[in-house]
Amino acid sequence: MFDGLHDIDWASMGHAYGSAEEVPGLLAALRSPDAEERREALDRFYSAVHHQGSVYPPTAASLPFLFELAVDGATPDRAAVVALMVSIGRESLDRGFEDDGTEIEYYPPMGCGQAVAFLRERADGITELARDADPGVRLAAIPGLGLFLDDADRAAAVLRERLAAERGMAARLRIAAAAATLALRLPVASRQVMDWLTGLAADPDQGPATRLAALVQRARCAPDEIGEDVVPAAVGLLRETARAIPVRRIAPVPEHPAVSTDGVAPQIVEAFADLDRHTRVLAPTTALLRTFHDALGARVPERTAVLAEQLSSPDPGSRLDAVRMSGELMRAWRGDHTGLLLLVADQLTTADAEVAAEAAAVLESCHPIAAPAREALAAHIDAQLAQYGPDVWAAPEAPLRRSHQEAVRALARLGDARALPMLLTALDSDVDAWRAIQVAEHLPQAADQLVPRLCDHLRRIDLSQQWTEMSARAILSALAALGDPAAVPSVVHTLVAAQGHGQDRVTQSALQALRAFGPAAGGALDAIRSLTTAANVHVSRAAVAALWAVGRDRGEILSVLLGLLDEDTSFCVDDAADLLGEMGPSASVALPRLREHLADDYTWIRVHCAAALWEIGGEAEAPAVVDALLHAMAENPRTANHVVACLDRMGPLAAPALPLLRAQLALPRRGGRFQSIGNDEELQRVSRTLIARLDPPNEPTDHETHRAGRPA
């Protein structure tokens, strides 16, 4: 086995983490009799050689040896090897080729063409793997029938044969998916495959899951042909499928070997735990339904109808997966999501704490639109307090603890004071206090209770430890948002400590907090001023911004800002333009340089400088400002929040923006900075207000009112 393995110069090739010289050892370990050695080798292969789906030269060069392992009946864990081999081929097709089939040129070469060519040459072997006696091997190989067989008629025949032979739901779902992949990859196969899928979907002799899979995969083949009857049919089949699947409790999260988290920020630990949760798929139909949602795309009402059925499943795992998909829909697509929010909120009352926790987490992540769920969140929290007592925030059962904490955080993000007692409990007990700190800024009405506790936490942070950076910055951000000048001494103390320990990012955050306090932080002026010449450019520009906000001395700051306008770094120019705009007409000396920046290649520089031009020059600059803003937004839609905010300040002079504003509102996907719900909702709100102001609906004249039969 492995003839020629050591003839390859693996050390000359690289993977995600450096030299590929370890690859022969990993391949050999995949045949080890030691299960733990095999698991570690497979994990390492996925993390380094096939990192996040990447196909490097050593990834492609490994395929002949993976194929040897796959077809050798003595290989342990053959299904895992076949799955790895198919994954490499699938990613090679997805990443390495244009839609017209031409290979994408990479530097250095990534090996995608080599990988696909090898697997296509092994079409007979892949077909036999799909017929293997081991059901796990068959399941792993089935997708390869759609990916690598180039004879369309033969591939379709093998898929029909496998469907007739396979009884398991997982295999039948994969066969339907492989058929759609074949139709999309080989146009010559599309008609016969789509006709076959259409027939399967209507065949009463097939089980509901098979019919649902055929219906969904047919929709995937031609999304533009999805008719009005498809979603109702899918909902009906989904209901039948749910009745046919045994209801199972959600299995506990698999135990990982104990890993020390000493010296790791709790936010990082939780981020990895969250990643683990989101990689778990709990229902056999989840991948199929994700495919259906992808095919439906912008049809938000239809997708909501499907999710409503998913959320009514008797199976808790199916509902948990549906809760996650609901969050994905609301975060990515515009529309009236009130009904879906209420359906997600209904999951708070389930007996399964993991489902309730996921529902609360989705409501928190969607908090800019989650107001309809406010009372459900409050009721959930009250019920938990009544059942488990005031210590439920620190409950030892992880699902219950997360369910409570996520609900409290979601309610707090809605600005609801009913979340305050639990936040204070967290801050006082120091149990998962970081989770309370992240949402404290949304309760400014309770600043008198929150700020002293936040300052106490800030003073106790040991900035000699680099891992404490995230916690310090989160507290500083919360204090800045709450805006209570009583926090200034603690912020200044942190500023000095951060400088002493070389914590530049904490220093920057402290300066940003002092900026938020404005003149109330006047006692910190000397400390701020000393940092305007800091070596770290992020610190120095934060100090300049704080110096202006706190000192308000134009003479001191203007020359510095003019210098920043000439920097090569875009964020320096952006920040300088913003501060000059705050100064207004008194910064008119900057107008010539700002006008020059309207021709900059970088859209963000144009946007910030155009906004400053308006604030400083006013009506005289309006034509150039509007033109720059509209071109920037058309070129880079992520500038839309900044653009629309400036247009809103311009009033009637922004009238030329009406067509672009209407076009922006007509987009089904969320837009704005980072395409987040918050930014997009603000973008829509300001755009609608601006359109109404610039083009109000015509009021009926007295004559028109009289003709309509109404009193004038």
Side-chain angles (χ1 to χ4, degrees), residues 149-272:
L149 273 65
D150 282 340
D151 184 330
D153 291 336
R154 181 189 176 207
V158 173
L159 288 166
R160 287 193 294 270
E161 168 213 309
R162 296 317 311 151
L163 188 74
E166 294 286 355
R167 299 271 66 87
M169 180 190 295
R172 293 171 75 82
L173 297 187
R174 288 203 182 187
I175 290 165
T181 297
L182 178 68
L184 290 168
R185 184 173 65 86
L186 299 178
V188 68
S190 62
R191 192 70 268 158
Q192 65 168 310
V193 167
M194 289 194 290
D195 288 346
W196 180 51
L197 292 172
T198 299
L200 283 176
D203 185 354
D205 292 333
Q206 301 292 334
T210 301
R211 295 178 63 194
L212 177 63
L215 184 75
V216 168
Q217 298 299 343
R218 174 62 175 82
R220 174 187 165 205
C221 290
D224 293 342
E225 297 178 13
I226 297 175
E228 294 181 358
D229 59 331
V230 171
V231 169
V235 167
L237 289 169
L238 180 57
R239 189 171 301 148
E240 289 184 49
T241 301
R243 287 197 294 264
I245 298 175
V247 174
R248 297 185 178 92
R249 296 185 61 184
I250 295 175
V253 177
E255 293 270 345
H256 292 297
V259 177
S260 173
T261 57
D262 293 343
V264 181
Q267 297 92 328
I268 299 296
V269 175
E270 176 59 23
F272 277 100

Side-chain angles (χ1 to χ4, degrees), residues 129-146:
L129 288 171
R131 294 169 172 152
D132 196 89
D134 184 331
V137 170
R138 295 200 305 274
L139 193 64
I142 284 168
L145 300 175

Side-chain angles (χ1 to χ4, degrees), residues 166 201 250 334 352 391 398 560 626:
E166 294 286 355
I250 295 175
R334 294 171 171 174
D352 194 294
D391 295 330
V560 177
V626 171

Side-chain angles (χ1 to χ4, degrees), residues 442-464:
H442 296 277
L443 296 172
Q445 68 270 40
D448 60 328
Q449 297 180 72
L450 290 168
V451 167
R453 290 172 167 88
L454 292 171
C455 288
D456 180 59
H457 277 269
L458 186 61
R459 283 190 295 269
R460 288 191 278 119
I461 287 179
D462 181 3
L463 289 174
S464 68

Side-chain angles (χ1 to χ4, degrees), residues 13-34:
M13 295 185 280
H15 56 46
Y17 298 111
S19 170
E21 60 187 343
E22 66 179 312
V23 171
L26 296 178
L27 292 168
L30 291 176
R31 206 167 186 266
S32 168
D34 186 325

Side-chain angles (χ1 to χ4, degrees), residues 348-349 373-386 411 418:
L348 295 170
T349 61
R374 181 191 301 270
E375 295 308 316
L377 287 164
H380 179 58
I381 293 166
D382 287 344
Q384 289 179 319
L385 290 169
L411 193 63
R418 287 175 287 183

